[in-house]
Amino acid sequence: MKTQQRLLLIPVSFFLALGGVDAAAEPPNFKYSSLALAANVVSYDDDVVVRRGGGTGEVVRFSGVAGASVGGILQFSDNLIVSVAGSALSDEGYGVEIEDSSGSLGLGYVTPIGTRTDFLFALEFVDAEVQICNLTSCSTVEDSGYGATAGMRRWVSESIEINANVSYADLGDLGDTTSVGAGGAYWLDGHSSITTSLSRSSDATGLSLGYRYAF
């Protein structure tokens, strides 16, 4: 079973054509050092079916999971960033529980490609676990691997940004997945913003709503 949730560490977009100026000597348009917290919902394309156990012969269907994610980014100089993140998602019913958790550590490079647009590429080490428990026992699949994310962030006004990304992760026994995402943020002031995002992979759709503090 593939893990269904990937925390995209940096909300970036993949519209390189929006830039077009020589930004080699310019600092990024965004501050990346930040702390973030979000509520997440992941909906599966196909239900996950789990036998209830205990000799009942019944099955329980799960259409998705929900939970929270946290993350932090530290920006070194103008262009180098280090990120750490984790998520925990779950659902339960009729004595059966499914849990999907992951953690990641990333290293990225960010550069401006216009007066309002930043491009970013990041490599990540990812560890993930999926656990399913019924009335009598638990089954766990855990593995680690690598991921890569490319994208951009763009100011559309003084208080609104848009972002999008393309991400790939290979997690061994948990499989590999490619996802695309898009989102935005409303900046309450120079540090605080409300964030939202929509992501899509081959077998799931994810939604998030969160808060981010930049410093």
Side-chain angles (χ1 to χ4, degrees), residues 26-44:
E26 298 294 329
N29 294 284
F30 291 84
K31 295 180 180 179
Y32 285 84
S33 292
S34 60
L35 297 172
L37 174 67
N40 299 348
V41 176
V42 175
S43 177
Y44 304 144

Side-chain angles (χ1 to χ4, degrees), residues 4-174:
Q4 305 293 333
Q5 175 68 14
R6 296 291 179 270
L7 180 64
L8 302 182
L9 301 181
I10 303 113
V12 293
S13 310
F14 198 55
F15 303 117
L16 302 182
L18 293 178
V21 301
D22 183 5
E26 298 294 329
N29 294 284
F30 291 84
K31 295 180 180 179
Y32 285 84
S33 292
S34 60
L35 297 172
L37 174 67
N40 299 348
V41 176
V42 175
S43 177
Y44 304 144
D45 290 352
D46 300 314
D47 289 351
V48 174
V49 180
V50 182
R51 291 196 176 278
R52 192 167 178 237
T56 63
E58 299 175 351
V59 297
V60 180
R61 295 179 177 271
F62 294 96
S63 59
V65 287
S69 60
V70 295
I73 300 172
L74 188 60
Q75 185 174 6
F76 294 92
S77 69
D78 285 334
N79 304 107
L80 185 65
I81 59 175
V82 174
S83 55
V84 61
S87 67
L89 309 174
S90 65
D91 194 12
E92 61 181 312
Y94 303 102
V96 179
E97 182 176 11
I98 180 171
E99 295 182 355
D100 186 341
S101 59
S102 66
S104 56
L105 177 66
L107 177 65
Y109 182 83
V110 60
T111 185
I113 56 172
T115 57
R116 294 187 174 187
T117 307
D118 286 353
F119 169 75
L120 178 139
F121 179 77
L123 294 175
E124 303 152 6
F125 170 80
V126 185
D127 183 78
E129 177 183 285
V130 175
Q131 183 178 74
I132 298 176
C133 295
N134 58 31
L135 293 175
T136 57
S137 63
C138 292
S139 175
T140 302
V141 179
E142 180 180 10
D143 213 333
S144 58
Y146 67 92
T149 298
M152 77 91 166
R153 296 172 70 176
R154 179 175 175 84
W155 289 110
V156 294
S157 71
E158 291 185 358
S159 59
I160 298 176
E161 71 165 281
I162 58 173
N163 51 72
N165 55 70
V166 177
S167 183
Y168 173 80
D170 188 333
L171 295 175
D173 290 343
L174 288 169

